[in-house]
Every structure is written in C-alpha cells, then in structure tokens.
Amino acid sequence: PLSLSPYSLLLFSPTAIPPPHCPPIAPTSPPSFIAAMIDIPELHNMICAHLDQADLARCARVSKKWHALVTPFLWSSFRCVEVSSNTARWQAFARLVLDDYLHEQRHHQSTQEFHTIDRPIHPPTPSPSLPPLAKYGHCIKFLPHPSTIVKCLQLIDDPSPSQQPPEQQALQKPTPYDLMRHLYTRCPLHQHYRIISLCDNDLKEDECVKIIGEYVVPGLRGLIVLRTDDRYLESWKIKYLLKHCASTLEYLSIEMDNIPYNEELDEMHQVVQQPESMPLLKWLALAKLDNSSEAFLSWLWERCSQVELLELSGLNNLPGSLVDSLPIHMPNLNSIHLIELSLSDEKIAALLSITRNGWKDIRMAYFNGLHLRRTHRALMEHCLTLEELEIHNCAINGVQKAQILAASPNLHTFCTLEDDWFKGDSYFDVHSFIDRDPQTGELKTWACESTLKTLKVKITGVPILGSHGVRGWGMGGSEVVREAYPGQAREIQGHVYDRLARLTHLETLWLAQENRVDRLECLDMSLDSGLHKLAGLKELKELGIEHLKTRIGVQEVQWMVNQWPKLRTILGLKSQRTEEAKEAVEWLQKHHPEICLSQW
C-alpha cells in the first residue's frame, strides 16, 4: 500500500499513523461496489467531507486510486491549534514550507545558470519528486491566522553550515516572511476570511503588512484592528489593508490610541489617495482614538459615504472633525452606539445632533456619574424616527424614559438591561413605568403601544405583598419596599399589568431584577396579582424573569401556554427556588418540552 509523506502524517494527526500492533493492509482490490462508488465524484466528495484527518490518512493508504481521490481532502485544511500546545506538529509544518521554498530556489538558481553559461548545456530537468506542498498546495482551502503562521515559521531550527547540504549552503536563508509569502503563493485557492481581527503586533513588520494586504484581506467583509501594546500604528498600514479590501468591506473597527499620519510613508507605499472609497461599508466602530489621530480620521471620513451605523467607545476627547465632518461625509448615517465615553453631557448631546435625517437606532452604555439633561433633550428630538433604543447604566431616570416611550411612534425595541449584566442604575421605578396622569389618574398613552415588540426593563420599587405593618429587613440585611397601606402592593402590580397589557404586539418581555437574592420588590407574576390582564399578548414568544422572586406555579404556566400560543422561551424559571416553580418546570418539561427553560 501507498504511504504518505512523513511531513503530512506529522502535520495532521498523530492518530493518522496506524498503531504498530495492527496487521498490514493486504494489497487487494476493494470490492466492486466500493470501486463503483468512488467513480461517482459527487458521492466520494460527500463521503470524504465527513471524514476526519485520521480516517482520510488511512483511506489514502488503500490504493493509488483512493490516494488520488482522498489526498485533496487531506490537504484541504490545517487545523488551528495553539503553536505552544503542539510544537512538533507546527515544526513539521514549518519544515514543509521551508523544503518547498528551498526546492523552488534551487530550481530557479539552476535555471539562471543555464541562461548565463555560454557553452552548450542541457536545460535543467525538473525533479521527478516534487515536495508535498508543490504537489498539493492548490488543494489547501483553509489556512491559520497570519499570526499563527508567523509563529510556527519561526520554529525552524537553524543548522550550522556544516550540517547543511552543499546545494543549500549557497542559498540565502529565508526569513519567516519570505516563507509566509511563499506559502500563500502555493495556496492560491485558500478561502479568504469573512472577518479577521489584527492587533498592532501582527502589523509590526512592514513586510507582514504587505503580505496580509495582498493575500489575506482581499474579499474581506469585516476588519478589526486592535491595540495590545502601548504603541502606535502608522496610518499607512491601515490604509494599505483597506486598499486591498475596500470593494467588499462592510464592517470596520479600529481600536487604537494613536494613529500618526506621515505623508512620506503614504507616498512610499502608494496609499495617499487609496482607497478612493469603500462603497459597501455600513458599520464603522472607533475606540480610544485621541487628537493625534485627527489627520487619519479626516482621511477616513471622506471614504465612508455609505456608513449607516457609527459606534464610538472609550473616547476621552471628542475629535474636532467628528461633529463637523460627519453630516457632510455620512449622509446615510441613521444609527449610533455610544459606549463608555468620558465626555461631558454637552459633547454627548452634540454627538446625537450630527445626523441629518434623525436616528433610527441609539445605544448608550456606561455613562455613570453624568447628569444627562442635554443628552435627554437631544434624544427627544429623534423620537419621531427612533426604532431601537438601548440605555445601559446611564443617568436617565424613569420619568425621562417614559417621556421617550410616550413620544416614539415607530419604536419597536426598548432595552435598559443586557443579556448578562445586571448591575448599575438602569432601573425603571414602578411609578414612572406606570406613568399615570396626575389629574385623571388614568394611564398616559404611549405612542409606541402598537409598535413595541421587545421590552427589557428593570422595574423596581414594587411593595411586597402583605408587607403592611411588618417590620424587618430583607435577606442579606437590605431594606425592602413595604406597603404604605393594606392592598397597596396588589394595586400597584395591577397598574403595571395594565401598562404591559397595552403593548399588544410584544414578542419579547424581560422583567429582570438586580443579580441579588434579596431583591424582592418586583412583580410576583401570579394570577392573583393580576397576571390574567396580560391575556392580550398573543404575539409573546419569550419571557424573562431572571432574579425575580415570583410566585409562578403550575397554574400560571398552564395559563401562559393557553393564552400565549407563540410562547417558546421562559428565561429564569429554573433558577426560582420555590417548590411552586419546581413543579411548574416539571409540568412544562413533561407537557411542553418545546418550550426552552434555559437560564440567562
């Protein structure tokens, strides 16, 4: 039987080599029906696509025909593992590339000698045995991250000149980047990344930047440039990458403190005016940029005419060109995400005023300690166009939130909490959420009542049922909200249900609380407290009750299943510690296993 190259056996899996106690494979022909099967290309492609590297290696040892069919799949991918976790494997990979590189250099050198010698000489004949990479490089479709390739190519041992073959001593030692470029040229069919993250260390060497620009980023949909060290990144490097993926790029994220501009370097690398535009770029995310990046930002704005979503995070200063240039160069801008900005209320309000046509999507997170009065007024100016609003850990109180909900006729998503975050002050106090007219006592009309589909809020301040006249503290020593008069808790909870009942198009409802076991002032979600008022929420698909001290039992979940026919998820029910909740979970798992009961 045929055997594979020792490099390929090392490269893919140690289990690909049959153990020594296994009997040798008899050199017999496979059964006729198997031979007929592998004559159908579509069929053997489907079979090989489901085999792992070890099975493919064994199949390649059966016969010449199987070897020819299976080898392209065996070489299609280099599985990504940490270089430090399997050094021997990656050293074999590096040696594979080095041998192929030296083979090509020797062939190139002999060809040059043939053309330079005056006397008659026979032309150099190609080697009858090509290196594995030369044979099968065109089969490789998946390559590791460029940083992984560089690390493993640096693992090549440097033998002394006396240990090198004579024909190799005359060749110049290749750098890891020479080998990296050679690898990409040998793998012309490798699939390009859809999205890739590159840090400043990946782009430290100029040659590496050019290789990534030429071979890795073409066809890219998303590019992320991150800072890992306290170092700067020259603007020409980012421009060079963008030059090679500008026609396909849809998402660009840059997290870098300092991007100095150098016109001489731009001219040297031919990126002064390149790329001219990024026609598909819709999402631009910038983080931690300071005023030293002003020249680069001015260059960037001019190439972002199609951007619709702008995300800014970690800014300590507001670049001067940001507010002035964006309305001119980004006419389609309709969404903005502001995260962890150390800016004044006035500057945040200025950011919310840069759009021409009004915001459709606004996300604000982690502005603790700021009084956002001007920011709230700026938000109110966009209520007519607003469709999605997320407010996390921002000093916008419940009354201001209710004003936004009351004035937003197109709002379909309102969120004050995140999937895995329950700290901070993004609460909606119960009286502001109920939002009653002080003169008539009736609930105020919210403009989003017929459009809101997703509501994720922390409602706090609900008195505990039956707590009037009861003294004491909550679990853990914290004070809890108690009834001012008998029946107040039931009355307030009824008003909350009345408010929720008006949102007839809700599909997702999260009523989470703070991540503390002693948090009791919340809806208990029982039929006695008024849950039956929500019978009109026929579109509800997902209910979140994480960290609520509810009284949900079998009767309540039976009612939910009957009244909410589209319900598919109840988050947090499993974490309830009451016997009623455990019985409800058991009933749902038995009668409605299609309903997901995962915790948050």
Side-chain angles (χ1 to χ4, degrees), residues 513-574:
Q513 261 297 348
E514 193 176 17
N515 190 9
R516 287 165 48 189
V517 297
D518 59 342
R519 202 68 176 177
L520 304 176
E521 61 271 24
C522 57
L523 297 179
D524 66 13
M525 299 297 290
S526 66
L527 291 172
D528 292 341
S529 67
L531 179 64
H532 62 277
K533 294 183 178 182
L534 304 184
L537 305 185
K538 302 300 183 183
E539 302 296 322
L540 194 65
K541 300 177 182 178
E542 182 176 308
L543 176 66
I545 53 172
E546 188 75 15
H547 304 303
L548 296 187
K549 305 294 284 188
T550 69
R551 292 195 299 153
I552 294 179
V554 175
Q555 187 178 6
E556 280 72 24
V557 294
Q558 289 176 342
W559 180 89
M560 292 177 187
V561 170
N562 292 329
Q563 298 298 325
W564 301 334
K566 297 184 179 181
L567 185 65
R568 290 295 177 267
T569 304
I570 303 179
L571 299 173
L573 184 59
K574 274 190 173 182

Side-chain angles (χ1 to χ4, degrees), residues 93-129:
F93 168 76
R95 178 60 60 179
L96 185 78
V97 180
L98 176 62
D99 288 351
D100 189 80
Y101 176 87
L102 295 176
H103 177 273
E104 185 182 62
Q105 292 299 311
R106 286 193 295 268
H107 177 70
H108 180 69
Q109 187 181 48
S110 61
T111 303
Q112 284 185 332
E113 291 176 356
F114 167 73
H115 290 292
T116 55
I117 296 177
D118 296 332
R119 58 186 175 82
I121 188 174
H122 295 289
T125 58
S127 173
S129 177

Side-chain angles (χ1 to χ4, degrees), residues 172-423:
Q172 184 178 4
K173 178 186 175 182
T175 67
Y177 302 109
D178 293 332
L179 298 178
M180 183 181 183
R181 181 181 293 276
H182 178 76
L183 174 64
Y184 281 115
T185 57
R186 283 297 197 206
C187 307
L189 300 181
H190 78 276
Q191 294 187 6
H192 295 284
Y193 289 89
R194 292 180 60 86
I195 183 170
I196 191 171
S197 177
L198 300 169
C199 67
D200 47 7
N201 285 329
D202 299 331
L203 306 174
K204 183 178 180 180
E205 300 295 334
D206 295 356
E207 185 63 21
C208 188
V209 173
K210 293 187 176 181
I211 295 173
I212 294 175
E214 296 175 20
Y215 296 101
V216 179
V217 302
L220 205 64
R221 299 293 183 85
L223 175 61
I224 303 173
V225 182
L226 299 174
R227 178 182 65 85
T228 57
D229 293 333
D230 295 331
R231 56 178 289 110
Y232 63 88
L233 184 67
E234 296 94 337
S235 62
W236 78 263
K237 295 182 177 180
I238 300 178
K239 294 180 181 180
Y240 191 87
L241 298 179
L242 294 177
K243 173 183 176 181
H244 289 84
C245 63
S247 60
T248 59
L249 197 65
E250 299 176 7
Y251 169 70
L252 174 61
S253 175
I254 301 175
E255 179 184 329
M256 197 67 58
D257 291 351
N258 187 1
I259 307 179
Y261 174 79
N262 189 314
E263 187 174 355
E264 293 183 0
L265 290 177
D266 283 5
E267 292 179 355
M268 180 187 305
H269 299 287
Q270 301 178 355
V271 291
V272 176
Q273 296 298 330
Q274 296 291 333
E276 295 181 357
S277 65
M278 292 180 280
L280 299 182
L281 186 63
K282 304 294 183 182
W283 186 343
L284 176 62
L286 303 174
K288 301 180 181 179
L289 294 174
D290 56 23
N291 292 328
S292 63
S293 306
E294 189 68 48
F296 170 76
L297 291 176
S298 298
W299 175 91
L300 182 63
W301 305 142
E302 298 177 0
R303 286 147 182 85
C304 297
S305 59
Q306 302 301 318
V307 168
E308 297 178 1
L309 191 159
L310 176 64
E311 180 178 313
L312 302 174
S313 60
L315 299 185
N316 296 321
N317 297 298
L318 189 62
S321 64
L322 189 63
V323 176
D324 299 332
S325 301
L326 262 58
I328 301 173
H329 298 297
M330 299 186 188
N332 300 320
L333 195 63
N334 56 39
S335 303
I336 189 167
H337 295 174
L338 306 176
I339 304 171
E340 293 184 352
L341 301 186
S342 300
L343 302 176
S344 65
D345 181 25
E346 181 180 2
K347 291 185 177 180
I348 296 175
L351 285 174
L352 293 176
S353 304
I354 60 178
T355 183
R356 293 179 175 180
N357 304 319
W359 298 113
K360 292 183 179 180
D361 174 13
I362 298 177
R363 181 183 181 187
M364 301 170 56
Y366 313 118
F367 296 166
N368 287 330
L370 293 178
H371 298 286
L372 304 179
R373 297 177 182 176
R374 296 185 179 181
T375 300
H376 172 253
R377 288 198 295 268
L379 280 172
M380 293 297 297
E381 295 177 359
H382 300 281
C383 285
L384 292 178
T385 59
L386 200 58
E387 297 179 1
E388 299 182 47
L389 177 61
E390 295 189 24
I391 302 174
H392 309 295
N393 293 24
C394 296
I396 295 181
N397 59 41
V399 174
Q400 294 171 328
K401 296 171 186 173
Q403 291 173 351
I404 295 172
L405 290 167
S408 303
N410 298 304
L411 190 68
H412 61 73
T413 299
F414 182 82
C415 180
T416 63
L417 56 91
E418 293 182 298
D419 297 12
D420 56 353
W421 192 259
F422 303 96
K423 299 178 181 179

Side-chain angles (χ1 to χ4, degrees), residues 62-111:
V62 172
S63 67
K64 289 183 178 181
K65 189 168 186 177
W66 281 42
H67 184 276
L69 292 173
V70 169
T71 299
F73 291 91
L74 189 61
W75 281 82
S76 64
S77 172
F78 293 106
R79 291 180 296 173
C80 295
V81 297
E82 288 294 330
V83 176
S84 58
S85 65
N86 199 331
T87 305
R89 175 181 167 194
W90 285 113
Q91 283 178 335
F93 168 76
R95 178 60 60 179
L96 185 78
V97 180
L98 176 62
D99 288 351
D100 189 80
Y101 176 87
L102 295 176
H103 177 273
E104 185 182 62
Q105 292 299 311
R106 286 193 295 268
H107 177 70
H108 180 69
Q109 187 181 48
S110 61
T111 303

Side-chain angles (χ1 to χ4, degrees), residues 1-17:
L2 293 175
S3 61
L4 296 177
S5 162
Y7 295 130
S8 59
L9 290 176
L10 268 177
L11 182 61
F12 296 112
S13 173
T15 61
I17 305 176

